[in-house]
Amino acid sequence: MGSIFYGWDIGLIGGILSLPSFQQYFGVDKISASAQANLNGNIVSILQAGCFFGALSTGLISGRYGRKNPLLISGLIYIIGSAIQTVSGMGSSQAVALRVLYFSRFLGGFGVGMATALIPSYVSECTPKEIRGRCTGLIQVANNIGMMLSFWVNYGSALNVPFGQMQWRMPFAIQIVPGVLFILFLFPQPESPRWLAEQKRYGEAAKSLAYVARKSIDDEAVLSILDEIKADLAGKQKTSILKQFRMMGESRITALRAFIPSLVMLFQQWTGTNAINYFSPQIFAGLGITGTDSGLFATGVYGIVKVVAVTTTVIFAVEGVGRKKCLFIGGLGQGFMMLWIGGYSAVHPQSTIVPASYVSIVAVYIYAVFYCIGWGPVPWVVAGEVAPNHVRTAAMSLAISVNWLFSFTISRITPVMLENITYGTFLLFGFCCMVMSAWAYFLLPETKGYALEDMKFLFERDLVVRSLEDAPGGRIFLGGRRATPVEDLRKAAHDGVGPGATSRRFEACA
């Protein structure tokens, strides 16, 4: 539910900005095209600014208060921000109305940022390794459901609500609903067992593990997982967030694992997906779909395509195909689609319909499919499981802050780029997709099927060799070289010999 209101907030604003009633109320229709691009960028990006600070704040509070209570607070802040957005401008001047809208979007974004920083950690810490990828991937499914619903609410409002204030206030009001449901559904959920273990509340940790596994509290599997968590956290309990940031550099392996969540979140934003999420009506207009209703309808179909694609990926591919292949294939597909759209826009800058226009419109939908195969759900999965357990709070807080920082950047510059460099916008995002596919192919080992406590062995040695072993056709680059099996590294660490033991002793001393 937290991811639904996250997606709802993302998908909502682009449609509202395209409504003539909103443009008239805030005077957008009376300014130049370049000024409109700047104003739209400000209205969209102020939410991301709030998300950035909200995500940063979670590192300070989740280590002390757990995951569940800060999540409840995030939902409350989101509801308050959404309510103020709904009433912004009532009984005030146009200038004051815009300032209130900015403030309320920042406040709502603060709550969204808190939720997005905490949810991946909460889910990955509460789910068994056999289904962890699928459950964490549901974050992106829910995100796209929220986005799709907001697209259709915008379309319904444009189609059925008479011209006036209620046409744009109604979508703002409806986004309160997922926030309320989020709080109600979260109350019966357990606290993170790993956080409880950090606080040495082992009885409660066992109850949480038993609850999510649907087993008794004295079940052998529950006790075994609890013992693994205790061993992994040995010497690291109750670590402050500032100390966690310092500990992220305690060894090369820890630093690398703490860096990857931020990197995949940065990559996710530079796929250009939020450029389409926020400004899809304008993009479809550039491809020949004219009229507010038609643009919102095309955007709604785009939302449906994303939901179907990401749900299919999470059910069948994340655990079956694996994280690495999904990122590689998804990035390539996104890159080719963006390059096609950029090439079409370069040779046909007019908004008139030609046969290639239909191909380009389909390319936008295919782009959404490839995004949902790879760089939509999978970065959340990878970030939640690669981050070291003892610095996960800091690493995920930093990663989500990076995500929102670049979401802010993309949402702020996209309308300006569409106005000034037009087709170059799509070429830039296409090139970025190719770069991130290469990174996934050569430098990311497959993480599916490994316990969180075993992730360190994937990065301990032979990283490039292990990554190429897991890549499609990657072994042709290796000749006869092979990475040391994780089982051998685990055994060596358990016996107190080899690099694994050295790393474990070093981290324990730190």
Side-chain angles (χ1 to χ4, degrees):
M1 291 308 304
S3 295
I4 282 179
F5 73 63
Y6 162 35
W8 198 295
D9 232 15
I10 288 176
L12 178 81
I13 195 62
I16 289 179
L17 290 176
S18 70
L19 292 173
S21 56
F22 178 88
Q23 295 174 1
Q24 182 187 81
Y25 190 87
F26 287 93
V28 181
D29 56 342
K30 296 181 176 64
I31 57 179
S32 65
S34 59
Q36 283 186 27
N38 274 315
L39 181 62
N40 288 344
N42 289 336
I43 293 173
V44 171
S45 62
I46 194 68
L47 180 123
Q48 277 71 42
C51 291
F52 172 76
F53 290 104
L56 275 182
S57 71
T58 58
L60 297 173
I61 62 176
S62 65
R64 176 174 296 183
Y65 301 108
R67 316 290 190 247
K68 181 177 176 178
N69 289 331
L71 279 171
L72 290 169
I73 294 171
S74 74
L76 182 62
I77 294 173
Y78 168 81
I79 291 171
I80 295 172
S82 299
I84 298 175
Q85 288 176 64
T86 304
V87 301
S88 59
M90 285 187 172
S92 65
S93 66
Q94 196 175 82
V96 172
L98 190 59
R99 288 197 290 269
V100 172
L101 182 63
Y102 283 152
F103 166 76
S104 57
R105 282 187 59 75
F106 181 90
L107 182 64
F110 194 93
V112 172
M114 288 180 64
T116 55
L118 288 166
I119 289 170
S121 294
Y122 179 77
V123 173
S124 65
E125 291 173 356
C126 288
T127 50
K129 65 181 181 181
E130 292 79 11
I131 59 168
R132 186 179 61 238
R134 189 173 294 127
C135 290
T136 312
L138 283 172
I139 293 171
Q140 191 65 25
V141 174
N143 176 277
N144 281 280
I145 289 174
M147 204 177 302
M148 177 196 68
L149 292 173
S150 71
F151 289 158
W152 287 105
V153 166
N154 287 339
Y155 176 67
S157 181
L159 199 64
N160 300 302
V161 179
F163 185 91
Q165 294 183 33
M166 285 307 298
Q167 193 178 56
W168 61 266
R169 291 190 191 277
M170 188 270 289
F172 276 137
I174 292 180
Q175 72 173 344
I176 297 173
V177 175
V180 173
L181 293 176
F182 170 70
I183 290 178
L184 293 178
F185 290 155
L186 187 60
F187 271 115
Q189 302 307 312
E191 180 55 88
S192 161
R194 282 179 171 78
W195 180 80
L196 291 169
E198 285 180 359
Q199 313 305 308
K200 297 186 178 180
R201 293 157 60 178
Y202 300 125
E204 295 174 67
K207 287 181 181 178
S208 288
L209 288 170
Y211 176 85
V212 298
R214 294 298 188 265
K215 298 180 182 295
S216 65
I217 194 171
D218 56 354
D219 187 272
E220 183 178 342
V222 171
L223 298 176
S224 175
I225 295 172
L226 183 59
D227 287 341
E228 289 180 11
I229 295 173
K230 288 181 183 178
D232 189 69
L233 293 173
K236 304 165 189 171
Q237 290 91 339
K238 295 185 180 181
T239 307
S240 70
I241 186 66
L242 293 178
K243 187 174 181 181
Q244 284 191 38
F245 277 114
R246 291 196 297 270
M247 291 172 68
M248 285 165 61
E250 67 190 8
S251 69
R252 181 186 64 83
I253 300 169
T254 301
L256 177 62
R257 292 176 61 200
F259 170 71
I260 286 176
S262 294
L263 183 64
V264 294
M265 290 302 174
L266 181 150
F267 280 159
Q268 185 188 60
Q269 290 305 314
W270 281 99
T271 61
T273 182
N274 276 340
I276 297 179
N277 292 337
Y278 293 127
F279 303 104
S280 50
Q282 296 94 310
I283 291 172
F284 281 118
L287 296 176
I289 297 180
T290 57
T292 301
D293 292 353
S294 298
L296 292 175
F297 179 80
T299 301
V301 175
Y302 175 79
I304 292 176
V305 170
K306 290 188 72 173
V307 169
V308 173
V310 76
T311 303
T312 304
T313 297
V314 169
I315 293 174
F316 298 107
V318 170
E319 299 294 357
V321 176
R323 286 64 151 159
K324 181 187 182 74
K325 290 179 182 177
C326 285
L327 290 175
F328 174 65
I329 295 169
L332 282 182
Q334 283 183 268
F336 285 128
M337 294 305 104
M338 275 291 188
L339 293 175
W340 167 268
I341 296 169
Y344 164 79
S345 302
V347 301
H348 188 77
Q350 305 86 3
S351 59
T352 55
I353 292 285
V354 297
S357 301
Y358 299 108
V359 179
S360 298
I361 293 168
V362 171
V364 174
Y365 295 129
I366 296 176
Y367 168 89
V369 172
F370 279 111
Y371 173 76
C372 294
I373 288 173
W375 290 95
V378 181
W380 298 97
V381 178
V382 172
E385 61 191 13
V386 167
N389 286 341
H390 63 294
V391 297
R392 176 173 285 110
T393 300
M396 289 304 298
S397 176
L398 181 62
I400 306 303
S401 298
V402 167
N403 183 281
W404 283 117
L405 175 63
F406 282 93
S407 178
F408 168 83
T409 303
I410 297 299
S411 61
R412 182 64 188 83
I413 67 175
T414 292
V416 179
M417 288 196 299
L418 290 172
E419 175 70 21
N420 293 289
I421 66 173
T422 58
Y423 67 87
T425 307
F426 305 106
L427 297 179
L428 172 63
F429 289 136
F431 173 77
C432 291
C433 289
M434 295 301 182
V435 170
M436 59 189 73
S437 289
W439 173 82
Y441 189 90
F442 290 102
L443 295 174
L444 179 68
E446 180 56 65
T447 58
K448 73 167 184 175
Y450 293 100
L452 294 179
E453 289 70 32
D454 285 342
M455 286 293 166
K456 58 180 174 287
F457 299 121
L458 297 177
F459 300 89
E460 191 167 88
R461 55 193 294 186
D462 305 322
L463 176 61
V464 176
V465 175
R466 193 181 305 279
S467 299
L468 286 172
E469 274 187 346
D470 296 334
R475 297 196 178 194
I476 64 175
F477 296 103
L478 297 177
R481 294 186 63 190
R482 294 293 181 269
T484 306
V486 168
E487 293 75 14
D488 293 348
L489 293 173
R490 187 192 302 118
K491 184 177 184 302
H494 183 268
D495 294 341
V497 299
T502 302
S503 171
R504 187 175 60 181
R505 288 195 298 269
F506 178 84
E507 292 180 2
C509 290

